[in-house]
Amino acid sequence: MNFPLSHISSLCKYTGISFTAGAITHGFFSGERAIWTAIFGVVIYLVGGTLEKIANPDKDHSWTDILLIGIVASIGLGFFTGGLQHFPDSPARSSWVVPVGFAMSLLAMYLMEGKGKIKVKAPLIYGGN
């Protein structure tokens, strides 16, 4: 493991999630600026995933995991964290954004980390609770 590269990877992934969350909670559905912010967030998240793959070559993550599943993860985590953060400001939007984000992040985590290692039933039970 390359520690500096792993650290930069984490910074990029969390920064991407933050940009995506901010775009969603501050007007994703109402403005062009927020759409560009969300796209930037997803791209930064994917850069972080790429750096993580380079820093940890022993991990069994394919480019499909990083790119396709990474997009689902970054948007899902953005929905979830942004919806929670701004629930008091926009409860109508947050009431559906938070559960959708949770489901997307659960799906992405299962596909990236659990596929072939755990049965589908476990994440479904966890997600249902």
Side-chain angles (χ1 to χ4, degrees):
M1 176 178 87
N2 181 329
F3 180 78
L5 200 52
S6 290
H7 181 251
I8 292 169
S9 164
S10 292
L11 289 175
C12 286
K13 288 176 91 173
Y14 285 104
T15 299
I17 292 167
S18 296
F19 271 93
T20 306
I24 291 163
T25 57
H26 292 286
F28 182 74
F29 305 103
S30 62
E32 183 180 340
R33 177 177 163 217
I35 292 170
W36 286 110
T37 302
I39 291 169
F40 179 74
V42 169
V43 168
I44 292 297
Y45 182 90
L46 294 175
V47 167
T50 302
L51 293 174
E52 182 177 54
K53 182 170 177 60
I54 293 168
N56 302 298
D58 54 320
K59 274 192 153 184
D60 190 27
H61 287 159
S62 69
W63 287 107
T64 302
D65 289 344
I66 292 169
L67 299 175
L68 298 178
I69 299 170
I71 290 170
V72 174
S74 66
I75 293 171
L77 292 166
F79 268 44
F80 183 75
T81 58
L84 286 178
Q85 181 182 6
H86 288 281
F87 205 93
D89 303 331
S90 55
R93 185 182 327 157
S94 294
S95 65
W96 70 267
V97 167
V98 170
V100 168
F102 180 79
M104 288 175 73
S105 66
L106 183 64
L107 174 66
M109 183 63 109
Y110 173 75
L111 292 174
M112 200 173 292
E113 300 289 338
K115 185 174 52 175
K117 297 175 187 166
I118 60 172
K119 295 183 182 192
V120 173
K121 186 178 178 182
L124 290 176
I125 291 171
Y126 165 70
N129 290 326

